[in-house]
Amino acid sequence: MDKHINKDEYFVRRFLCLGSKDNVYRSNAQHSKFSRNDVPFIERLIADRGIEVMDWIYDVSVNNKACRQEPTMFAYAFCMVHGDEDVKNYGYQMLSNICRTPTHLFQFQNYCEELNMQKNNKSGWGRRHRMGISKWYNNFADKAPKLAHLVTKYKKRSKWNHRDIVRLAHVKPQNERIRTILKFIVNKEMNDVITLHDSLDVDDRDDKIVKEQKEQHTEVKTFLRAVIEAKNCEDKMQLIELITEHGLAREHIPNSFLSEKEVWRVLLRTMPLTAMIRNIGKMTQLGIFEDEHASFFVNLVREKMNSEVLQKAKVHPMKILFALKQYNEGKGDQCRLDWRPSHAITTIFEKAFIDSVRLQPRTDKRYLLAVSVSGEMNKKLVGSPLTASEAAGAMVHTIVKQNDRVETLLFKNNLERPYISTINPDDNLNSIKRKLDILSSSKGHHINFGTWARDNNNFDVIMIFTDTLKGEGDSRVAEPFDYFCQSHGVGAPNHVRVIVAMTGKPSDQVDDVEPRDGQTLHVIGFDPSTPQIINSFISGFNFQL
């Protein structure tokens, strides 16, 4: 931890990114249940630095620095419930920026209610909160078509839906476009959408503005009508026409049509990158990339995964690799869906991985990477067909490729006598895998760590990838690698240490972790969000202050 940073400030940073009050990240765990006891540091800080805390929450949310939104939404709700008048007034001005989708809004509302019930046994629907929620909907006054799309795509979450929130907040529409959407939400009747009058609150306004507002109002009503028609549609061709003309998303489509190839062909045209990656197996199963029209849709996938799109979306290589490995398995992680992988799609994913590695930002830090080559590393990660060894190798590949100062050591069960690694920037995933496999099945060439450390030190980041943090048997690391490195003095002043137990489970206990140790991050398990967490930790969970 930077000695110039207040401890409570660091704890806020850590909680927002990790969702934990300790320097422990448990992958594949749903961090959605929090209480006042989880954030005493926020309660202490908002007493006299509440505006700063709100700025930190804003930065983490807007700049997508957290792998999950729940900790951010809980911290935001906590400030809105326990902050003073200035904090609350300032915070509600940020509502639309922090809660950018209805899902965020529902999470925020759920936490607000829980915290208010704990605080004073009330639901918390006071005047300020109602006004804040009303403002969220009315902020779309000049972009009502976007609101219409959001409220129909994201209908409910965390036991909340738009109808309940609109009614409890007594939302008063700012104009007729918003009024139309609110009536649709509350009444759910097509007739209400069709028969609403076209009058607009535009006295003394420019004729051009009036025309634009009328056109937007018509667009809103037409879209909502299309959503209702799609919901009740029984004809495939009519549904395809609705999707094409009005840009409907998968969430607008009745389940009975989600096994139709023609429907997915149309959806793919406007499908966002992450949604496409999530549904690529389904589309492959339906034969979209194998029939006479395959080349067009393969090219469409290629365009959606080009380097410019990947850079804009800030997709980490490991997320691409997880998706690629799952796709090549030919079945979903729940085994409810199976398909025959398309070579063309596999090739696109492989190139996307290479491109995403190249696009990773440089840190200008010196890394020491230690990777276990024990047999336990051949186990698959929780919820993934990727083995621990493959994932660790990919992480090493990404770091070595984008940083000039990286040293890699490999070990089995004796940290004091690791193997010399020949991994270098010219390696690819396959060559790294071969090097790890060779050492895992042979004695290799040992070095003495103490001797090696005399000429290799001053590392900014020390990172170890092993199977589990604790356990019985010689194949596992009994003591954290950070302690061993400290005894040989290989770290630079204020260096950080990351210990990744690749095959660990969320329920695993880490008894020896010091909650206030800001220099060491323990990762239990490994999932697609893990690299983002590690990068955030290495950068000190920095805010743009």
Side-chain angles (χ1 to χ4, degrees):
M1 185 195 306
D2 190 328
K3 62 181 179 180
H4 299 294
I5 296 178
N6 175 281
K7 283 187 176 181
D8 280 342
E9 179 181 333
Y10 178 79
F11 295 157
V12 173
R13 296 182 179 192
R14 186 173 64 187
F15 177 80
L16 292 174
C17 293
L18 291 184
S20 170
K21 60 183 179 181
D22 304 322
N23 267 357
V24 180
Y25 173 69
R26 299 180 186 278
S27 66
N28 299 297
Q30 295 300 316
H31 299 279
S32 58
K33 296 294 184 182
F34 304 105
S35 71
R36 188 172 183 172
N37 293 332
D38 290 315
V39 289
F41 34 85
I42 294 182
E43 189 164 9
R44 290 191 294 266
L45 279 177
I46 61 174
D48 54 9
R49 298 178 63 188
I51 301 300
E52 286 184 80
V53 174
M54 288 308 311
D55 286 337
W56 303 338
I57 293 171
Y58 176 90
D59 175 56
V60 169
S61 177
V62 171
N63 293 299
N64 195 31
K65 294 184 177 180
C67 67
R68 296 184 178 95
Q69 289 295 322
E70 288 87 350
T72 306
M73 293 305 151
F74 180 80
Y76 180 42
F78 188 89
C79 292
M80 294 301 94
V81 173
H82 292 282
D84 60 23
E85 296 296 309
D86 290 339
V87 170
K88 292 178 180 178
N89 290 334
Y90 186 67
Y92 275 113
Q93 294 176 22
M94 301 177 174
L95 182 59
S96 295
N97 299 105
I98 295 177
C99 299
R100 293 178 298 281
T101 71
T103 298
H104 300 158
L105 183 68
F106 296 151
Q107 290 174 342
F108 168 68
Q109 174 54 44
N110 195 53
Y111 287 133
C112 280
E113 184 179 59
E114 290 179 358
L115 288 166
N116 272 295
M117 291 299 293
Q118 293 169 11
K119 181 182 179 182
N120 50 31
N121 203 30
K122 294 182 180 179
S123 62
W125 283 97
R127 182 174 180 273
R128 185 188 286 107
H129 188 71
R130 294 199 306 271
M131 290 179 63
I133 297 295
S134 295
K135 187 177 179 181
W136 188 91
Y137 288 94
N138 281 310
N139 272 339
F140 292 92
D142 294 326
K143 43 188 176 181
K146 181 178 180 179
L147 177 62
H149 183 85
L150 287 173
V151 300
T152 55
K153 182 177 181 180
Y154 305 98
K155 299 176 183 178
K156 58 183 178 179
R157 180 73 180 269
S158 303
K159 84 177 184 180
W160 289 97
N161 57 52
H162 290 287
R163 186 170 188 266
D164 291 340
I165 285 185
V166 165
R167 290 164 68 96
L168 288 168
H170 308 304
V171 180
K172 295 181 179 180
Q174 185 172 324
N175 58 38
E176 287 297 326
R177 283 100 67 200
I178 301 299
R179 187 188 304 278
T180 296
I181 296 171
L182 296 183
K183 281 188 171 289
F184 168 82
I185 290 172
V186 174
N187 296 313
K188 301 182 180 179
E189 291 295 336
M190 186 165 125
N191 288 338
D192 289 314
V193 177
I194 295 174
T195 59
L196 280 173
H197 58 84
D198 291 320
S199 64
L200 296 168
D201 303 328
V202 291
D203 295 340
D204 301 322
R205 301 293 292 274
D206 185 88
D207 288 343
K208 182 180 179 181
I209 296 177
V210 173
K211 181 180 179 182
E212 289 176 352
Q213 292 179 346
K214 285 186 176 181
E215 289 176 350
Q216 195 178 92
H217 196 190
T218 300
E219 182 182 349
V220 166
K221 292 195 294 184
T222 303
F223 178 80
L224 294 178
R225 191 181 299 122
V227 169
I228 296 172
E229 290 177 1
K231 180 181 179 181
N232 300 316
C233 187
E234 297 181 355
D235 181 77
K236 181 172 65 176
M237 298 312 297
Q238 180 187 358
L239 179 63
I240 290 173
E241 184 177 338
L242 289 169
I243 297 171
T244 304
E245 185 175 352
H246 304 285
L248 301 185
R250 187 193 67 81
E251 290 80 2
H252 296 124
I253 309 305
N255 291 336
S256 57
F257 287 102
L258 288 179
S259 294
E260 297 289 345
K261 179 194 293 189
E262 292 84 356
V263 170
W264 281 97
R265 278 176 173 167
V266 180
L267 289 173
L268 178 57
R269 295 172 185 264
T270 57
M271 193 177 292
L273 173 64
T274 53
M276 183 192 73
I277 292 175
R278 191 167 56 247
N279 291 290
I280 199 75
K282 176 65 177 182
M283 291 184 283
T284 300
Q285 182 198 50
L286 294 174
I288 290 177
F289 308 116
E290 297 292 343
D291 61 16
E292 65 274 16
H293 305 291
S295 60
F296 173 83
F297 293 100
V298 168
N299 285 331
L300 195 57
V301 173
R302 185 176 292 110
E303 290 174 6
K304 289 178 180 287
M305 296 192 74
N306 67 42
S307 57
E308 291 182 3
V309 176
L310 292 172
Q311 186 170 30
K312 185 177 180 180
K314 298 180 180 179
V315 179
H316 192 277
M318 290 304 302
K319 290 193 175 182
I320 302 293
L321 184 61
F322 267 79
L324 170 61
K325 190 70 175 181
Q326 192 72 62
Y327 183 75
N328 284 341
E329 279 284 297
K331 58 184 178 181
D333 56 0
Q334 302 296 324
C335 297
R336 297 174 183 173
L337 187 69
D338 57 70
W339 57 85
R340 186 166 63 90
S342 162
H343 176 71
I345 298 299
T346 294
T347 301
I348 292 172
F349 271 77
E350 290 173 343
K351 182 180 182 302
F353 175 80
I354 295 172
D355 289 344
S356 60
V357 169
R358 177 177 54 82
L359 293 169
Q360 291 304 294
R362 307 180 73 85
T363 63
D364 195 32
K365 294 181 183 294
R366 187 177 184 187
Y367 287 78
L368 169 58
L369 308 178
V371 182
S372 171
V373 291
S374 70
E376 298 295 315
M377 291 289 283
N378 291 320
K379 289 183 177 180
K380 290 185 178 181
L381 303 176
V382 176
S384 171
L386 209 62
T387 67
S389 179
E390 289 170 332
M395 284 292 290
V396 171
H397 171 61
T398 302
I399 295 171
V400 168
K401 202 77 171 176
Q402 289 305 100
N403 294 280
D404 296 327
R405 301 182 299 168
V406 182
E407 296 290 340
T408 307
L409 299 177
L410 310 177
F411 65 90
K412 278 190 177 179
N413 54 16
N414 190 341
L415 289 172
E416 196 165 1
R417 300 186 66 229
Y419 301 123
I420 292 177
S421 167
T422 58
I423 296 174
N424 60 68
D426 295 327
D427 276 309
N428 57 32
L429 278 183
N430 289 331
S431 62
I432 290 176
K433 183 179 185 304
R434 285 195 297 271
K435 290 178 178 181
L436 296 179
D437 288 344
I438 289 173
L439 286 177
S440 67
S441 58
S442 66
K443 294 183 178 179
H445 179 61
H446 291 291
I447 61 171
N448 180 278
F449 187 87
T451 303
W452 176 88
R454 287 199 292 266
D455 299 318
N456 296 273
N457 49 45
N458 209 35
F459 293 101
D460 303 301
V461 181
I462 299 173
M463 196 178 305
I464 181 171
F465 299 95
T466 184
D467 54 341
T468 59
L469 291 180
K470 285 181 171 290
E472 297 178 357
D474 293 335
S475 64
R476 294 173 178 170
V477 181
E479 297 294 332
F481 188 56
D482 58 344
Y483 174 80
F484 189 77
C485 288
Q486 286 183 74
S487 66
H488 289 281
V490 299
N494 297 321
H495 71 280
V496 296
R497 303 174 292 274
V498 180
I499 305 171
V500 186
M502 305 292 291
T503 59
K505 298 178 181 179
S507 59
D508 290 350
Q509 297 299 313
V510 188
D511 298 329
D512 294 336
V513 173
E514 169 54 54
R516 296 182 180 275
D517 177 10
Q519 288 184 263
T520 306
L521 171 68
H522 290 80
V523 179
I524 312 299
F526 193 95
D527 64 15
S529 297
T530 301
Q532 182 180 351
I533 288 294
I534 292 175
N535 290 339
S536 294
F537 174 77
I538 290 172
S539 66
F541 302 122
N542 285 331
F543 299 138
Q544 295 178 350
L545 301 177

